[in-house]
Amino acid sequence: MMLPAIVLLPLLAALLPMFTRHLGRRWCALLVALPVVAALGLLAQASLPIWEGGMQQWSLDWLPSLGLNLALRLDGLALLFCVLILGIGLLVVVYAHYYLPAKDDGGRFYTLLLLFMFSMLGVVTSDNLLFLVFFWELTSLSSFLLISYKQYDSAARKGARMALTVTGMGGLALLAGVLLIGHVVGSFSLSTVLESGALVQQHALYPVILCLVLLGAFTKSAQFPFHFWLPHAMAAPTPVSAYLHSATMVKAGIFLLARFYPVLAGTDLWFYLVTAAGMATLLWGAVWALFQHDLKGLLAFSTISHLGLITLLFGLNSPLAAVAGVFHIINHATFKAGLFMAAGIIDQQTGTRDMRRINGLWKYMPYTAVLAMVASAAMAGVPLLNGFLSKEMFFTETLQSDQLGALSWLLPLGATLGGVFSVAYSARFIHDVFFNGEPVNLPKFPPQEPPRYMKIPVEILVALCVAVGVFPAITVAALLAVAATATLGGTLPEYHLAVWHGLNIPLLMSVIALVGGIAVYACRRGLFAWYARLPEIDAKRVFEGRIQAVVRLAAGVTRRLQTGSLQGYLAWVLALVAAVLVWQLPNLASFTGERAMLPVDGVSVLCALMLIAAALLTTVLHRQRMMAIICLSVVGLIVSLIFVRFSAPDLALTQLSVEVVSVLLLMLAMYFLPARAKADSNSLRVGRDAVLAVLIGTGVAVAALLVMTTEIATISPFFLENSVPGGGGTNVVNVILVDFRGFDTFGEITVLGIAALGIYALLSDLKLVSAKYDPFGRPWAHDAHPLVLVTLSRPLLPLALMIAVYIFLRGHNLPGGGFVAGLITSVALLLQYVASGVTWVHKRIPGDYHPLVALGVLLAGLTGVASWAFDAPFLTSTFTHVHLPMIGDFELASAMLFDTGVFLTVVGASLLILANLGKLSLLDDKKETT
């Protein structure tokens, strides 16, 4: 259970700020940090088998028939990312305590940060692809909330919306790719998929799968041409940038490339797509970083460039290149997180991030300057720092790649060029900020060093840059080895982590990059003049323009289709159905099957005639609303009798109960409408409706006749055979609802509860004027609560409740159950509203039914979760028989608790809708106040 604990601890910790924020930010940060430290401790313990080449797995059945299980996996790659997520996350928690403004208690920030941490841990440890996609989308949502943390800032809101749109679209592509992988492999288990690389690559769908998965990875990791969202996400607070845009969110796409490397890599298509995207991103980000005046803008484009570098390494189809990619994941996370934190310190102490103003800070903040310069040097690839080692491996792998044939020299050329600009923008970060004269009109002057403990996270990260750069074999070799082994899914190639590999071409490329970068920076004035002449393209403005264009298009389509006419909406739907019927019916060889027709009896004929007559009267009298409701109720009653005729008493009971509740709902709604509707249909519309009615009626009749007279194999025998041994009940319908298809029922009551809450929200502020006269001009009776109705309704309540309890208890073996019992209870209580008024009822029964809905859904959900305690899939039921004195044998089934949840939800939702609709008239309150 260590793996679930590691993932869930941040989620549980996310609840702490709600209870600790009143203690102050220091205590809030401390109490939030403790669960993260605990998760790191559990991770250290769980990682013991990983160092020996093993793997940790945990699984809990959820919906095994659909391949959806809650499964976690900790191998070397997952371990690496867990260390980055939890380790840098802990440093960000400490850093944010000092960074956030004094008026911010930090509660909301820490909650969102830990929610994001939980999401990322879920992504990197998921052993089920569907589970991975769920966490993937959760990272997009939680990062949206973090980027838009400063809600009052328009730039933050727009940047968050841009990030969510781009990464959300990529998430949909990833979902499609995962579904195709599951289709090809026959399983969504990541462990199974990783062993099926040959099967996937040889399948005809491989190009589609690859493109979809790469879309998910490229959008999340800001690869060209999806890179534009990342610079605008810098509107987030600096602790968010240090966490999301160095070690976590933007690395999620890189993680996806590494995780699917054994499955998708090794083909020419992978090489061309991934290498091209990586090279374009590397160069674009490196060049544009040099021209940014915003300190975080420079770091944002440098992040894009380094992400392109890692992507390019994974695209080279070389095991050593993949090892180098994993190595640079580690190095980039450390120096970039430190640089973002240093940028936040500078911003906090000077009041600006404009590098044209924050000059000469070495004089005022020498300690921070040293830390930032070391991290910048690591980013540039200066020897004796970690960035140098992975960049040397990068240069080596581009030299050894020959997949472009005669054009293979383009790869080392592009790599060297990217290195040149990397040095150039790193030099600008160092020189413009800490030297280059004196500060210019700083909002806060003179700047000074931040609080002592605010620098500790930066110190730790910078120390790691130096330690890995000088002693790689001692510090990072073991972690790199297990992570690279898990990435490759096979034998680790031979490589050596060393500061000196002798005089060779990669070293020459590093020297060219260092010297060339300094030269480019020295010539920056001419380059800046060239950049100033370029047409200005604001990605945010372009994006917002496209979004607004889509909104306008959607509004135009909506105006054309949503005219406010329900008749028109139905016509569109029915026209599509009619088109399908007209297209398919002529292809039928016969309108009847081989099954013999049932004999006709007088009662059936009478019911059929009554059904036809009621349906016709409903149509003819539809303008007389009360008569239409009465005729419609006759239709419902006849349908209930049809269910009885064909031995479906459960359906008959349900239909009858629903019919009563529906009639009550219609009666309450009709109270506020005129008794007669206006005749506003022209002859053209009537003709259209008549044609649709004939086509739909004929088509449905033929389809029903064909289905009912054709011998087809059904799953009914399975339910009949397993109802008693599998579900413990002889009422097959109820056993299906609460056991075999319990998940469907759980979803339905959840939707019912949400619908009830939505309707309540619509009705809560609605003000309608009650009608004072009937359609014939006669005033309504002064007695709103007739004595006869009141006298009859009150003794009916306990009788109806007793019947509801009886129907509920017998439901597992005889017709009944929680749904029907809930409807009977709702009707009984609604009768009290009608007879005695809202005020009278609310004096005796609390009028707030929200908790009842919530309790019902929660109870049904907890019944399903409880099965996990017995190592069974979600919503697995059990039953036993007990002997009670004077009663005898009595069956106890866990499904009864689930059915209780259904009962409570139905009662709560029905009353929440109907009682509040009835309150709109307020007739009883008006009568009682006069």
Side-chain angles (χ1 to χ4, degrees):
M1 292 294 289
M2 279 191 293
L3 290 186
I6 292 169
V7 176
L8 290 175
L9 270 173
L11 178 62
L12 299 176
L15 303 175
L16 289 176
M18 292 191 298
F19 307 103
T20 60
R21 60 194 307 173
H22 67 281
L23 300 175
R25 198 161 73 202
R26 175 172 299 181
W27 280 103
C28 186
L30 177 62
L31 293 175
V32 162
L34 290 177
V36 182
V37 173
L40 278 169
L42 290 175
L43 180 65
Q45 185 177 358
S47 67
L48 295 178
I50 312 301
W51 304 114
E52 301 175 0
M55 180 174 57
Q56 293 266 32
Q57 287 181 294
W58 174 88
S59 180
L60 186 65
D61 288 343
W62 173 257
L63 292 174
S65 59
L66 296 179
L68 182 56
N69 299 321
L70 306 182
L72 300 176
R73 165 196 179 103
L74 185 68
D75 58 6
L77 182 62
L79 174 63
L80 166 61
F81 275 88
C82 285
V83 169
L84 294 178
I85 293 164
L86 291 171
I88 295 181
L90 179 61
L91 298 180
V92 169
V93 169
V94 176
Y95 176 82
H97 165 61
Y98 297 96
Y99 177 85
L100 295 175
K103 62 182 179 181
D104 189 341
D105 61 17
R108 185 166 66 92
F109 177 84
Y110 286 127
T111 294
L112 297 177
L113 185 74
L114 290 168
L115 177 62
F116 179 80
M117 186 183 296
F118 159 72
S119 308
M120 279 300 304
L121 288 172
V123 168
V124 301
T125 59
S126 292
D127 196 21
N128 183 285
L129 296 186
L130 296 176
F131 204 30
L132 185 151
V133 172
F134 166 77
F135 282 112
W136 185 275
E137 292 301 284
L138 195 56
T139 61
S140 296
L141 293 174
S142 52
S143 65
F144 167 79
L145 297 173
L146 281 169
I147 296 170
S148 62
Y149 182 75
K150 294 185 283 189
Q151 301 167 332
Y152 52 85
D153 186 356
S154 174
R157 296 195 303 271
K158 291 179 178 178
R161 188 165 61 211
M162 185 186 298
L164 179 63
T165 302
V166 176
T167 59
M169 291 171 61
L172 293 176
L174 176 61
L175 174 60
V178 161
L179 293 176
L180 289 179
I181 290 175
H183 168 71
V184 172
V185 177
S187 172
F188 291 108
S189 170
L190 180 61
S191 300
T192 304
V193 170
L194 291 178
E195 297 172 355
S196 307
L199 175 63
V200 174
Q201 292 183 19
Q202 293 169 9
H203 200 278
L205 289 174
Y206 169 73
V208 180
I209 292 173
L210 179 60
C211 291
L212 291 172
V213 173
L214 290 182
L215 276 174
F218 288 171
T219 52
K220 188 74 86 172
S221 287
Q223 296 299 291
F224 186 89
F226 308 106
H227 62 285
F228 55 87
W229 68 265
L230 183 55
H232 297 283
M234 294 298 114
T238 299
V240 173
S241 301
Y243 193 46
L244 271 65
H245 306 133
S246 66
T248 52
M249 179 181 174
V250 293
K251 290 293 195 327
I254 301 298
F255 168 80
L256 200 67
L257 295 178
R259 178 52 82 198
F260 283 100
Y261 191 85
V263 184
L264 302 177
T267 65
D268 289 341
L269 184 60
W270 167 276
F271 170 79
Y272 289 117
L273 291 179
V274 179
T275 302
M279 181 63 79
T281 308
L282 165 66
L283 296 177
W284 183 276
V287 172
W288 249 242
L290 179 64
F291 300 107
Q292 304 306 305
H293 299 304
D294 185 335
L295 201 56
K296 284 178 66 176
L298 183 150
L299 294 179
F301 277 96
S302 71
T303 297
I304 293 172
S305 179
H306 281 271
L307 293 172
L309 186 155
I310 300 171
T311 301
L312 174 57
L313 281 168
F314 280 113
L316 292 178
N317 280 337
S318 162
L320 270 176
V323 174
V326 174
F327 191 20
H328 202 67
I329 290 173
I330 302 171
N331 295 335
H332 177 261
T334 51
F335 65 66
K336 189 55 64 69
L339 281 170
F340 269 115
M341 291 181 184
I345 291 173
I346 294 169
D347 184 16
Q348 185 188 63
Q349 298 302 315
T350 63
T352 181
R353 300 195 305 260
D354 191 339
M355 287 188 289
R356 294 167 295 186
R357 301 171 64 185
I358 48 176
N359 311 131
L361 294 188
W362 170 267
K363 176 180 177 180
Y364 303 96
M365 306 169 64
Y367 194 83
T368 300
V370 171
L371 295 175
M373 286 191 291
V374 173
S376 297
M379 179 170 64
V382 174
L384 299 182
L385 296 171
N386 59 352
F388 171 75
L389 299 178
S390 52
K391 192 164 287 189
E392 281 259 300
M393 296 177 71
F394 169 55
F395 289 154
T396 302
E397 292 309 308
T398 57
L399 284 168
Q400 295 180 355
S401 177
D402 59 358
Q403 290 186 256
L404 289 178
L407 298 177
S408 294
W409 56 270
L410 289 174
L411 290 176
L413 176 63
T416 306
L417 191 59
V420 167
F421 278 93
S422 176
V423 173
Y425 62 68
S426 299
R428 186 184 179 204
F429 185 99
I430 294 172
H431 183 261
D432 283 15
V433 174
F434 300 110
F435 304 101
N436 199 29
E438 289 292 321
V440 179
N441 296 327
L442 293 183
K444 296 180 181 179
F445 188 83
Q448 51 189 304
E449 292 288 356
R452 176 68 191 90
Y453 293 104
M454 187 178 187
K455 291 180 287 190
I456 287 181
V458 189
E459 292 169 346
I460 292 173
L461 292 167
V462 170
L464 288 173
C465 293
V466 177
V468 172
V470 178
F471 308 108
I474 300 174
T475 54
V476 77
L479 181 59
L480 174 60
V482 296
T485 301
T487 300
L488 294 172
T491 306
L492 196 65
E494 184 178 352
Y495 64 93
H496 301 284
L497 293 180
V499 178
W500 177 253
H501 289 281
L503 296 174
N504 52 27
I505 298 180
L507 180 62
L508 177 62
M509 293 170 69
S510 295
V511 172
I512 293 174
L514 288 170
V515 175
I518 298 299
V520 168
Y521 177 67
C523 302
R524 63 189 180 279
R525 296 187 186 280
L527 292 173
F528 281 8
W530 166 79
Y531 179 76
R533 291 194 297 270
L534 294 177
E536 184 178 355
I537 301 176
D538 187 343
K540 183 165 57 179
R541 183 177 300 173
V542 173
F543 176 81
E544 289 293 328
R546 297 294 183 271
I547 292 295
Q548 294 303 320
V550 172
V551 170
R552 287 193 296 270
L553 176 62
V557 173
T558 301
R559 283 193 299 270
R560 293 293 302 272
L561 296 180
Q562 293 193 357
T563 58
S565 170
L566 293 178
Q567 191 178 21
Y569 302 156
L570 285 174
W572 279 105
V573 174
L574 295 178
L576 179 60
V577 175
V580 173
L581 291 172
V582 170
W583 175 38
Q584 290 295 331
L585 285 180
N587 298 328
L588 294 177
S590 173
F591 291 159
T592 59
E594 62 277 8
R595 182 183 295 174
M597 304 287 287
L598 294 176
V600 178
D601 58 87
V603 176
S604 299
V605 172
L606 178 61
C607 288
L609 292 175
M610 291 177 63
L611 181 63
I612 295 171
L616 289 174
L617 284 173
T618 303
T619 305
V620 173
L621 303 176
H622 73 278
R623 302 193 191 284
Q624 302 178 34
R625 292 192 170 103
M626 186 59 67
M627 292 299 298
I629 292 174
I630 294 173
C631 295
L632 198 60
S633 65
V634 173
V635 173
L637 177 61
I638 299 299
V639 172
S640 301
L641 294 176
I642 291 174
F643 288 141
V644 174
R645 168 68 176 81
F646 289 101
S647 302
D650 261 296
L651 296 179
L653 267 176
T654 304
Q655 173 69 26
L656 192 60
S657 304
V658 169
E659 200 62 38
V660 173
V661 174
S662 300
V663 169
L664 279 172
L665 173 63
L666 291 172
M667 293 285 286
L668 289 170
M670 291 303 110
Y671 174 77
F672 298 99
L673 297 175
R676 297 179 64 88
K678 296 180 180 179
D680 55 358
S681 296
N682 55 38
S683 57
L684 183 61
R685 180 177 293 184
V686 172
R688 178 202 66 185
D689 294 346
V691 171
L692 287 175
V694 171
L695 290 176
I696 295 294
T698 304
V700 170
V702 170
L705 181 62
L706 184 60
V707 169
M708 289 187 290
T709 58
T710 302
E711 294 287 350
I712 54 176
T714 70
I715 59 173
S716 300
F718 169 82
F719 294 126
L720 292 172
E721 293 170 5
N722 292 277
S723 178
V724 175
T730 57
N731 181 6
V732 182
V733 174
N734 184 261
V735 173
I736 291 174
L737 292 176
V738 301
D739 191 333
F740 294 126
R741 303 301 296 270
F743 196 82
D744 291 352
T745 305
F746 180 65
E748 289 163 3
I749 64 171
T750 303
V751 171
L752 177 63
I754 294 172
L757 294 175
I759 294 172
Y760 173 82
L762 291 173
L763 296 177
S764 59
D765 295 326
L766 189 62
K767 303 296 181 184
L768 295 177
V769 178
S770 304
K772 297 181 180 180
Y773 302 95
D774 69 3
F776 301 102
R778 297 170 298 190
W780 293 106
H782 293 289
D783 186 7
H785 313 297
L787 180 61
V788 174
L789 182 58
V790 171
T791 304
L792 291 176
S793 65
R794 293 183 183 175
L796 283 176
L797 178 61
L799 181 62
L801 294 178
M802 183 177 66
I803 293 173
V805 171
Y806 172 69
I807 291 292
F808 174 80
L809 293 176
R810 75 195 289 251
H812 211 50
N813 292 290
L814 294 169
F819 188 81
V820 177
L823 290 174
I824 293 173
T825 302
S826 301
V827 171
L829 292 173
L830 285 170
L831 182 60
Q832 306 308 308
Y833 277 100
V834 173
S836 302
V838 174
T839 304
W840 184 90
V841 174
H842 284 181
K843 285 180 179 179
R844 293 155 179 82
I845 303 175
D848 186 7
Y849 298 107
H850 296 82
L852 204 59
V853 176
L855 180 61
V857 176
L858 181 63
L859 181 60
L862 290 177
T863 305
V865 172
S867 59
W868 290 346
F870 302 95
D871 198 24
F874 180 70
L875 277 176
T876 300
S877 66
T878 185
F879 61 93
T880 186
H881 290 82
V882 297
H883 183 80
L884 299 178
M886 301 180 64
I887 296 178
D889 287 335
F890 188 82
E891 180 185 354
L892 289 178
S894 62
M896 180 176 288
L897 290 175
F898 182 84
D899 221 11
T900 304
V902 174
F903 171 81
L904 293 175
T905 305
V906 170
V907 173
S910 301
L911 294 178
L912 195 61
I913 297 171
L914 297 178
N916 283 283
L917 185 59
K919 280 196 301 184
L920 289 177
S921 64
L922 299 177
L923 284 178
D924 52 344
D925 295 329
K926 293 177 183 177
K927 298 296 182 182
E928 292 169 12
T929 55
T930 55

